[in-house]
């Protein structure tokens, strides 16, 4: 086999993993680009996929003309223009669409976490290092949508338009996408993975076979065999629960079911173990969530795709960022998370003044303040007559922050709205606070950033997901079975549920509405490093599958908040 043919096969495999299909002539053009530019095959694939995504092509197979347009023609034009142009050309905005703070001090709104294409040239690498920023804040409405194909078992980027008023069929797609991701994760787990070779007695005890729901529907024969079935918990009839997948629904008897840690709510994906009764009902003896997988394994499956929204990063750049983080660049950095800041509460502003003045005296001061709603005790409505009172409350907050000179100059303030704050509705994801209310803060703090709920931020290699919602109350109300009280505290139940479900709101849409086309912004795949679940309940923290989960508490109720140290990934609970 010739060297060129082997290179074409390698490139074809890498492109297929990225959800891109190219014909033979197009592969030859990619090989031609690699030889001419001196780029690695991985960089060539990165450049091609990024270029194809920017063109938003509606084709099944990419042709040679597209490859020439995306790779060869720009490269040859830069080569003819000389090295100066070549070194400047790789820069550009990434697809993340977030906001990029400068050196952790101010914030720029340049449309994304810009990544610079490395074309194998030293100038491009130096340019990327020069423009790179360690902290990126990502708005939910700027995230790219990546979908999983259960037939091809591959990820691909969604190319259609998204709408807040989606078509009716999008509602079913919400649950279909969630189920596909969790069933695929379950099938990859060694406990449920179908063995390729006959098993010995030891391995047979470790392997658990999943029975399709359709195989049990309509069955009436009594069987003593214990079966495991995966699907969505649904209440298709009043007071009667079913286990539902894409093909069928199986009635459940949960009277003797023992759950694992977590809240088992309607619409959550579960694995039920039990036996089929003569009536055709599945008598459940135990319920558990789909098994977890390490973040590294999930990243290896999704290599090259940007799920988080901070822009794709290849292995070379990732290693460079990790090296900078390990060298102690982030030592001493502190994030302060304050939630439930009801500005109309009599003690809130005085407590905030105490907190800000205390941190202003620190050296160095905290680099980031996450200020989460609700910012008022009374939920907002369009009939409210408190417009100017709310605006003045934000103006008072701005004056308190601005009075602390070092915080104003060196700290970044990020505001995330709550469900009861001014805005169009309480559907997730929720857009940032309206400018009418935030202009006083922007005037006093040019670096202030107002983002969506939920939102995300990336600090070096660490990914942080932020949600402000009374999720625990909704979970307890929608739970099919009461949680195991002695097994864990309420926050551990909540965090375990969210991480296992890989979704920020595994609830019925009647309990927590979601914009159907933007449900992907609530997904947690791959799992983040830090998950902030700001709830009105007592503050707490726990670690689930190496995900640090934090509830900062309610500041206006009891003066509690949380400090997070990214360098050591430690949490400190505070109060004032």
């Amino acid at each position: 086999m010739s060297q060129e043919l082997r290179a074409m096969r390698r490139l074809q495999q890498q492109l297929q993993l990225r959800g891109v299909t190219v014909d033979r002539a197009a592969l030859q053009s990619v090989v031609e680009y690699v030889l001419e530019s001196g780029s690695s095959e991985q960089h060539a694939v990165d450049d091609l996929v990024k270029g194809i995504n920017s063109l938003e092509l509606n084709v099944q197979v990419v042709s040679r003309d597209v490859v020439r347009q995306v790779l060869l023609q720009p490269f040859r034009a830069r080569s003819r223009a000389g090295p100066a142009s070549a070194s400047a050309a790789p820069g550009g905005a990434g697809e993340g669409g977030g906001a990029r703070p400068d050196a952790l001090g101010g914030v720029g709104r340049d449309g994304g976490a810009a990544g610079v294409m490395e074309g194998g040239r030293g100038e491009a690498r130096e340019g990327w290092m020069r423009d790179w920023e360690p902290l990126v804040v990502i708005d939910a409405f700027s995230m790219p949508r990546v979908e999983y194909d259960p037939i091809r078992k591959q990820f691909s980027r969604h190319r259609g338009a998204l709408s807040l008023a989606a078509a009716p069929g999008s509602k079913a797609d919400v649950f279909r996408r969630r189920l596909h991701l969790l069933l695929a994760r379950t099938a990859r787990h060694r406990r449920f993975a179908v063995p390729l070779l006959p098993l010995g007695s030891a391995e047979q005890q470790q392997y658990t076979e999943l029975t399709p729901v359709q195989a049990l529907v309509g069955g009436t024969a009594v069987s003593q065999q214990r079966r495991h079935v995966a699907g969505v918990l649904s209440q298709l009839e009043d007071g009667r629960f079913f286990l539902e997948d894409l093909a069928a629904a199986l009635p459940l008897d949960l009277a003797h079911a023992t759950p694992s840690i977590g809240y088992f709510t309607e619409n959550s994906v579960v694995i039920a173990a039990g036996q089929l009764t003569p009536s055709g009902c599945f008598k459940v003896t135990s319920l558990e969530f789909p098994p977890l997988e390490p973040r590294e394994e999930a990243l290896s499956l999704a290599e090259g795709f940007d799920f988080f929204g901070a822009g794709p990063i290849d292995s070379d750049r990732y290693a460079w960022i990790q090296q900078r983080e390990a060298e102690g660049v982030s030592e001493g950095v502190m994030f302060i998370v304050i939630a439930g800041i009801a500005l109309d509460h009599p003690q809130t502003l005085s407590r905030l003044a105490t907190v800000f003045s205390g941190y202003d005296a620190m050296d160095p001061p905290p680099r980031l303040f996450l200020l989460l709603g609700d910012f008022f005790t009374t939920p907002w409505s369009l009939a409210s007559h408190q417009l100017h009172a709310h605006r003045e409350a934000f103006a008072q907050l701005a004056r308190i922050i601005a009075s602390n000179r070092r915080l104003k100059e060196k700290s970044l303030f990020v505001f995330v709205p709550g469900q009861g704050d001014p805005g169009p509705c309480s559907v997730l994801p929720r857009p940032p606070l309206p400018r009418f209310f935030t202009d006083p803060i922007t005037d006093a703090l040019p670096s202030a950033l107002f983002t969506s709920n939920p939102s995300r931020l990336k600090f070096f290699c660490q990914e942080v997901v932020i949600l402000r919602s009374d999720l625990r109350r909704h979970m307890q109300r929608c739970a099919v079975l009461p949680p195991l009280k002695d097994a864990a505290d309420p926050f551990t139940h909540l965090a375990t549920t969210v991480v296992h479900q890989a979704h920020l709101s595994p609830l019925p849409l009647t309990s927590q509405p979601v914009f159907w086309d933007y449900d992907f912004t609530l997904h947690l795949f791959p799992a983040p490093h830090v998950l902030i679940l700001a709830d009105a309940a007592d503050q707490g923290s726990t670690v689930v599958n190496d995900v640090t989960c934090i509830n900062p508490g309610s500041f206006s109720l009891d003066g509690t908040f949380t400090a997070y140290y990214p360098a050591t990934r430690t949490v400190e609970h505070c109060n004032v």
Side-chain angles (χ1 to χ4, degrees):
M1 185 183 297
S2 67
Q3 184 177 356
E4 180 180 356
L5 186 57
R6 284 195 291 267
M8 289 172 61
R9 289 196 172 182
R10 289 194 302 269
L11 289 166
Q12 186 179 33
Q13 291 175 350
Q14 293 185 51
L15 288 167
Q16 285 178 343
L17 288 174
R18 305 281 291 273
V20 176
T21 304
V22 297
D23 58 27
R24 183 181 180 86
L27 278 175
Q28 290 174 339
S29 296
V30 178
V31 173
E32 186 180 350
Y33 169 76
V34 171
L35 295 175
E36 286 190 24
S37 65
S39 298
S40 66
E41 293 177 1
Q42 181 63 50
H43 291 154
V45 170
D46 290 342
D47 291 359
L48 179 59
V49 172
K50 188 176 181 67
I52 292 172
N53 290 339
S54 66
L55 294 176
E56 297 186 355
L57 300 174
N58 189 20
V59 295
Q60 297 295 326
V61 180
V62 176
S63 64
R64 167 180 276 185
D65 293 338
V66 173
V67 175
R68 290 181 178 274
Q69 177 185 352
V70 172
L71 293 180
L72 285 172
Q73 291 177 2
F75 168 73
R76 289 169 179 170
R78 293 196 301 269
S79 299
R80 288 193 296 269
S85 175
S87 64
E95 59 188 1
R100 302 173 55 206
D102 60 4
L104 302 175
V107 60
R109 294 172 176 81
D110 59 356
V116 178
M117 288 288 189
E118 280 188 288
R121 296 174 176 269
E123 295 91 344
R125 180 177 176 84
E126 292 175 4
W128 179 81
M129 291 179 180
R130 183 178 58 252
D131 296 338
W132 172 80
E133 300 293 348
L135 179 62
V136 182
V137 180
I138 302 109
D139 185 283
F141 295 94
S142 301
M143 290 176 57
R145 177 169 160 179
V146 180
E147 297 180 338
Y148 179 74
D149 185 344
I151 305 300
R152 300 172 62 190
K153 293 181 170 48
Q154 293 178 354
F155 291 96
S156 61
R157 182 172 176 179
H158 178 78
R159 302 185 185 280
L162 302 178
S163 173
L164 296 179
S170 300
K171 181 179 180 180
D173 290 338
V174 167
F175 302 103
R176 188 178 294 114
R177 286 193 297 268
R178 296 185 196 176
L179 184 60
H180 281 325
L181 276 176
L182 293 181
L183 289 183
R185 191 180 77 192
T186 302
R188 292 192 296 267
H189 194 269
R190 62 184 306 174
R191 177 185 165 196
F192 297 99
V194 178
L196 300 178
L197 299 173
L199 294 174
S201 58
E203 290 100 342
Q204 221 159 12
Q205 294 177 358
Q206 297 177 0
Y207 169 62
T208 301
E209 180 182 4
L210 283 178
T211 303
V213 172
Q214 195 169 19
L216 298 178
V217 172
T220 57
V222 179
S223 173
Q224 299 300 320
Q225 183 180 1
R226 192 167 186 259
R227 298 180 181 274
H228 290 75
V229 191
V232 178
L233 272 178
S234 305
Q235 189 175 183
L236 303 182
E237 302 174 7
D238 287 343
R240 194 178 184 193
F241 292 97
F242 292 76
L243 192 66
E244 187 178 9
D245 65 7
L246 299 176
L250 179 69
L252 299 178
D253 177 7
L254 299 172
H256 305 284
T258 302
S260 60
I261 295 177
Y263 293 111
F264 288 82
T265 63
E266 290 184 55
N267 292 1
S268 60
V269 180
V270 301
I271 298 176
Q275 297 172 347
L276 191 64
T277 64
S279 63
C281 188
F282 191 71
K283 184 178 179 180
V284 180
T285 56
S286 65
L287 272 181
E288 60 181 309
F289 290 127
L292 297 169
E293 68 181 349
R295 172 181 167 83
E296 291 72 21
E297 292 183 12
L299 287 174
S300 65
L301 294 167
E303 185 176 359
F305 285 100
D306 176 27
F307 289 83
F308 199 75
I313 299 178
D314 60 36
S315 56
D316 292 342
R317 295 176 216 175
Y318 191 83
W320 181 82
I321 295 173
Q322 278 187 319
Q323 182 181 359
R324 288 206 63 190
E325 189 173 16
E327 288 172 352
V329 178
S330 60
E331 287 293 338
V333 173
M334 181 194 303
F335 295 169
I336 303 300
V337 186
I338 309 177
I341 308 175
L343 298 177
D344 54 348
H345 190 277
Q347 294 183 331
T348 299
L349 291 177
S350 61
R351 286 174 176 171
L352 285 174
T354 303
V355 171
F356 291 147
S357 62
Y359 283 119
D360 186 66
M362 290 183 60
D363 187 23
R367 295 296 183 90
L368 176 68
F369 282 88
L370 283 172
L371 305 182
L372 316 179
D374 292 353
F375 290 100
F376 302 97
T377 55
T378 304
W380 169 261
S381 70
L382 295 177
S384 174
H385 298 286
Q386 303 296 321
L387 285 171
H388 293 284
H390 286 359
R391 180 184 169 96
E392 177 57 29
F394 279 112
Q396 286 182 293
L397 175 61
R399 288 192 288 269
I400 292 174
I401 298 175
S403 65
N404 299 277
R405 182 182 58 82
R406 299 177 75 242
L407 294 186
K408 179 180 178 181
E409 295 175 355
K410 298 184 178 182
S411 298
L412 171 66
F413 289 82
V414 177
F415 293 79
V416 179
Q419 295 294 80
D421 284 327
C425 56
S426 60
V427 183
L428 293 178
R430 184 182 174 87
L433 291 164
R435 288 186 57 185
F436 175 82
F437 301 98
T438 62
D439 278 345
I441 294 180
T442 306
D443 294 340
L445 296 170
S447 64
L449 175 63
F450 297 88
T451 186
S452 62
N453 179 25
S455 59
R456 303 175 180 230
L457 65 89
K458 191 164 187 175
F459 182 71
F460 286 89
C461 294
Q462 288 193 42
E463 296 180 351
V464 182
V465 177
I466 307 154
L467 174 69
R468 174 62 186 97
S469 175
D470 291 335
L471 195 57
R472 175 181 155 188
R473 176 170 56 86
H474 289 299
M475 288 278 191
Q476 291 175 333
R477 182 180 299 172
C478 298
V480 174
L481 296 172
L484 298 174
K485 294 183 179 180
D486 298 333
D489 60 88
F491 182 68
T492 300
H493 281 295
L494 173 62
T496 300
T497 304
V498 173
V499 174
H500 275 266
Q501 293 293 310
H503 197 275
L504 289 172
S505 182
L507 294 163
L509 295 181
T510 53
S511 177
Q512 176 54 72
V514 173
F515 288 117
W516 300 338
D517 270 4
Y518 288 90
D519 179 73
F520 71 95
T521 63
L522 307 181
H523 287 188
L524 298 176
F525 179 86
H529 297 90
V530 182
L531 177 59
I532 299 175
L533 299 172
D535 197 291
D538 296 338
Q539 66 179 179
S541 62
T542 187
V543 178
V544 181
N545 193 37
D546 205 31
V547 179
T548 302
C549 304
I550 304 170
N551 177 17
S554 180
F555 187 79
S556 61
L557 290 180
D558 51 17
T560 56
F561 60 100
T562 296
Y564 174 69
Y565 299 87
T568 56
R569 293 188 61 184
T570 55
V571 179
E572 179 184 357
H573 294 301
C574 313
N575 61 61
V576 62

